[in-house]
Amino acid sequence: LRVRADNEAPTEPGICIESGFIAAEATPKFHEVIAIGFRFPEYPDVSFSITMRSTDEPSEQGQLDWGLNEAQATAKQEGQSAWYSSIKKLRKGDRIISDWAGAEILTRMPATDKSPSVHEFIYKYPGAANEVLKPYVRIDLNTGVKANSKSSNRPSLQDEEVVALWDKLTTSIQVRPVKN
């Protein structure tokens, strides 16, 4: 961490913070990570979040299908195969958001004795090695959220309404043009 003038743009990799700079060499496990979450007054039980991080080597763990296979294996191992197989897939497949060719799954999770049936939507793009405009990206939308806890309330939106909200939000994402 070092002091940085507000108008200084360091040439080395790292993250700028107010009046400071954290150099990438500070730790060998350095990744630039940006995460932001949104809540909507008109939909108080909906959360929407985007996480992006630089990647020097995309891995299969950044792929949507890898995560789904892991979740299925965990459910089977924990004796939850019947619950897992009753997840309703509203949509699943490849999807391009901005210039990112990733994949999405939009699901309605089944109710349990502890939680109501809620929506969980995920988009993943594994990123491209060392390309600043092609980071690893994960976008999530959840319904039934209360006080930042998932699966706490009945969703205020029906399946078609939450899919329309997802589409509206995700199609608004654009990579800002960069001038050299």
Side-chain angles (χ1 to χ4, degrees), residues 9 45 52 54 59 65 74 77:
D45 70 300
M52 295 183 290
S54 61
S59 71
D65 283 337
T74 300
Q77 185 177 27

Side-chain angles (χ1 to χ4, degrees), residues 55-108:
T55 183
D56 53 3
E57 186 177 328
S59 71
E60 70 175 10
Q61 294 173 341
Q63 305 268 344
L64 181 64
D65 283 337
W66 182 89
L68 295 174
N69 291 337
E70 286 294 301
Q72 185 175 21
T74 300
K76 183 177 181 180
Q77 185 177 27
E78 295 176 357
Q80 298 293 321
S81 293
W83 176 86
Y84 187 86
S85 65
S86 65
I87 294 172
K88 181 180 178 184
K89 291 181 183 145
L90 304 175
R91 188 166 78 200
K92 180 182 183 284
D94 294 338
R95 170 108 188 263
I96 296 174
I97 295 178
S98 194
D99 288 333
W100 307 321
E104 69 179 0
I105 185 164
L106 286 52
T107 59
R108 176 85 182 219

